C-alpha cells in the first residue's frame, strides 16, 4: 500500500513540473493514469519515449523535425532565397499555411526579453546570419505583434540591413499583443502580402 502510494506521489510530482499543470491537476492526472488499462498507460509512456527518441531539431532552421534537414529545408521546390523568421515552431506551422509564401523558415526559439533575461545570445541568431551568406535576398520578420516581438524585429533588421539584404516586417493587420500561432490563415496571408520594408 505504502509502495503504490509513493509511486503515485512520484508520478504526480513529475506531472506537476509540466507547464500549466498545478498540484491539484497533477494529482488528478496521476490517479487517472492509474485507472487506465495497462495497454493505454504503456502507450502513453511509449509516445513520450518516441518523441524523445525520434524528434530533434533541424540543424539549418531549428524547426522540430524527425529528419535533419527538415522537410522544408530539403524541399528544392521552395524559394531558397527568402527566409521568414519566426519565434517558435508553432509560428512556422501557422505561416506555412500562407499559400503565397513558399520560402524557407528560421526559428529563433523565442524573442528578446530583457525582463526574463533573454538576450541575443539565447536565440538562434548566429545561425540565421550564417544562412544569409548563401544568396538570401529577403528576410521576412514575422515575430509576434507584441512589445518583445517588435523589439526583436528592430534588433534583427539592424543586424541584417547592413549586409545589403532586403528586410521586411509582416503588416500590422494582426491585433497587437496577439499570437501568430492563433491567427487564421486569411489574416496571416494579408499580413504577409502587406509586409513593409525596414
Ligand atoms: Zn529546416
Amino acid at each position: 500500500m505504502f509502495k503504490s502510494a509513493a509511486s503515485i506521489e512520484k508520478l504526480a510530482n513529475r506531472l506537476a513540473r509540466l507547464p500549466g499543470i498545478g498540484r491539484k491537476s497533477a494529482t488528478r492526472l496521476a490517479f487517472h493514469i492509474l485507472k487506465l488499462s495497462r495497454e493505454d498507460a504503456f502507450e502513453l509512456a511509449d509516445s513520450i519515449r518516441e518523441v524523445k527518441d525520434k524528434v530533434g531539431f533541424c540543424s539549418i532552421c531549428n524547426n522540430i523535425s524527425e529528419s535533419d534537414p527538415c522537410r522544408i529545408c530539403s524541399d528544392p521546390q521552395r524559394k531558397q532565397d527568402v527566409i521568414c523568421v519566426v519565434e517558435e515552431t508553432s509560428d512556422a506551422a501557422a505561416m506555412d499555411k500562407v499559400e503565397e509564401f513558399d520560402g524557407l523558415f528560421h526559428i529563433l526559439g523565442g524573442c528578446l526579453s530583457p525582463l526574463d533575461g533573454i538576450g541575443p545570445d539565447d536565440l538562434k541568431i548566429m545561425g540565421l546570419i550564417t544562412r544569409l551568406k548563401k544568396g538570401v535576398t529577403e528576410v521576412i520578420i514575422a515575430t509576434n505583434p507584441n512589445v518583445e516581438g517588435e523589439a526583436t524585429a528592430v534588433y534583427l533588421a539592424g543586424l541584417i540591413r547592413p549586409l545589403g539584404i532586403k528586410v521586411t516586417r509582416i503588416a500590422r493587420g494582426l491585433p497587437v499583443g496577439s499570437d501568430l500561432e492563433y491567427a487564421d490563415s486569411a489574416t496571416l496571408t494579408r499580413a504577409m502580402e502587406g509586409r513593409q520594408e525596414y
Side-chain angles (χ1 to χ4, degrees):
M1 183 65 203
F2 273 123
K3 203 178 167 200
S4 66
S7 302
I8 287 269
E9 182 75 17
K10 187 176 160 194
L11 178 57
N13 283 340
R14 285 279 167 191
L15 292 167
R17 286 193 216 163
L18 298 173
I21 307 231
R23 192 64 233 175
K24 256 186 177 172
S25 304
T27 306
R28 204 163 52 225
L29 282 171
F31 277 102
H32 176 77
I33 291 167
L34 176 68
K35 283 189 218 154
L36 290 177
S37 69
R38 228 180 140 71
E39 193 185 23
D40 282 348
F42 286 180
E43 251 175 44
L44 176 63
D46 283 347
S47 45
I48 292 173
R49 196 181 299 275
E50 201 171 304
V51 115
K52 292 306 291 177
D53 280 347
K54 288 190 178 170
V55 184
F57 292 92
C58 172
S59 57
I60 299 173
C61 71
N62 197 36
N63 207 345
I64 54 170
S65 175
E66 288 194 13
S67 61
D68 187 19
C70 71
R71 69 170 176 86
I72 292 177
C73 288
S74 50
D75 181 354
Q77 308 288 1
R78 302 184 76 107
K79 274 193 192 156
Q80 306 290 311
D81 63 334
V82 181
I83 296 180
C84 177
V85 178
V86 293
E87 292 178 22
E88 304 289 352
T89 287
S90 49
D91 300 327
M95 294 306 288
D96 201 30
K97 291 187 194 127
V98 175
E99 278 182 27
E100 286 73 10
F101 179 74
D102 63 348
L104 305 174
F105 287 101
H106 192 85
I107 289 93
L108 293 172
C111 58
L112 295 177
S113 181
L115 289 178
D116 300 316
I118 300 172
D121 293 343
D122 300 307
L123 304 178
K124 302 285 180 187
I125 293 176
M126 281 321 291
L128 173 65
I129 302 298
T130 307
R131 292 179 73 188
L132 299 183
K133 290 164 188 159
K134 292 169 188 158
V136 172
T137 58
E138 181 180 355
V139 175
I140 302 168
I141 303 178
T143 48
N144 284 320
N146 52 33
V147 176
E148 290 85 4
E150 289 300 336
T152 308
V154 169
Y155 177 82
L156 289 177
L159 274 185
I160 300 166
R161 239 180 348 187
L163 303 174
I165 295 165
K166 184 176 170 187
V167 186
T168 54
R169 173 85 171 112
I170 56 165
R172 288 154 217 267
L174 296 162
V176 173
S178 67
D179 204 318
L180 228 62
E181 185 186 346
Y182 304 114
D184 61 275
S185 59
T187 306
L188 289 177
T189 300
R190 271 201 307 278
M192 183 64 96
E193 281 170 354
R195 66 185 186 273
Q196 289 176 338
E197 192 164 352
Y198 265 104

